Amino acid sequence: MAEKPTVLFVCVHNAGRSQMAAGFMRELSGGRVEVLSGGSEPGSAINPVAVAAMAEVGIDITGNVPQRLTTDQVRESDAVITMGCGDACPIFPGKRYDDWELVDPAGKAIDEVRPIRDDIRSRVEALLADLLPPVLPSAP
């Protein structure tokens, strides 16, 4: 794996789950991971309830725009995390592929999205622990 691994988060519309996961990975990795996201059928805008749920935990994803998943993104990535995109993801040997079964937050109220957000955060934390060695405090 690369010194700075690349993680690609994929869901159908790239408007909710994958955007929340990418937001958490950017924040929690402190720039030690290159983060990409895409969708097999990108939506026209980020889900506003996902934006609100992330804002509650101090992560701003308002400037994000749904993007179409590309073969190059998959090729560049060390880990590809799919969230209900089915067979739309191309497969390349030597990559880590995980499929996270998560409820789609589309059309859900904030009270229903918070548990999805929290589940995503837990999964991102576990993925980050697998990808990166712990940061040791520097000697005095």
Side-chain angles (χ1 to χ4, degrees):
M1 183 156 317
E3 191 172 307
K4 182 176 182 179
T6 299
V7 177
L8 170 61
F9 294 102
V10 182
C11 67
V12 176
H13 300 297
N14 191 224
R17 296 167 290 188
S18 58
Q19 292 287 352
M20 289 191 286
F24 276 125
M25 183 59 81
R26 283 186 190 98
E27 182 73 20
L28 298 173
S29 74
R32 296 180 299 148
V33 173
E34 185 69 32
V35 181
L36 305 172
S37 70
S40 53
E41 299 172 22
S44 58
I46 301 295
N47 178 338
V49 180
V51 171
M54 293 300 284
E56 289 180 348
V57 295
I59 299 175
D60 182 6
I61 61 170
T62 56
N64 296 11
V65 177
Q67 302 291 321
R68 178 162 303 281
L69 171 68
T70 68
T71 301
D72 285 343
Q73 286 177 316
V74 178
R75 189 178 290 117
E76 294 168 17
S77 299
D78 298 294
V80 179
I81 311 303
T82 59
M83 303 171 195
C85 72
D87 297 330
C89 280
I91 303 293
F92 290 98
K95 307 271 179 216
R96 173 182 176 158
Y97 290 90
D98 291 333
D99 185 47
W100 293 354
E101 291 189 28
L102 297 162
V103 174
D104 188 346
K108 305 244 184 290
I110 188 83
D111 289 341
E112 297 171 285
V113 174
R114 286 182 186 118
I116 300 167
R117 174 202 64 203
D118 296 343
D119 186 11
I120 291 170
R121 180 185 189 124
S122 295
R123 292 171 187 249
V124 167
E125 288 171 339
L127 176 60
L128 192 54
D130 281 351
L131 292 176
L132 297 176
V135 176
L136 302 174
S138 44

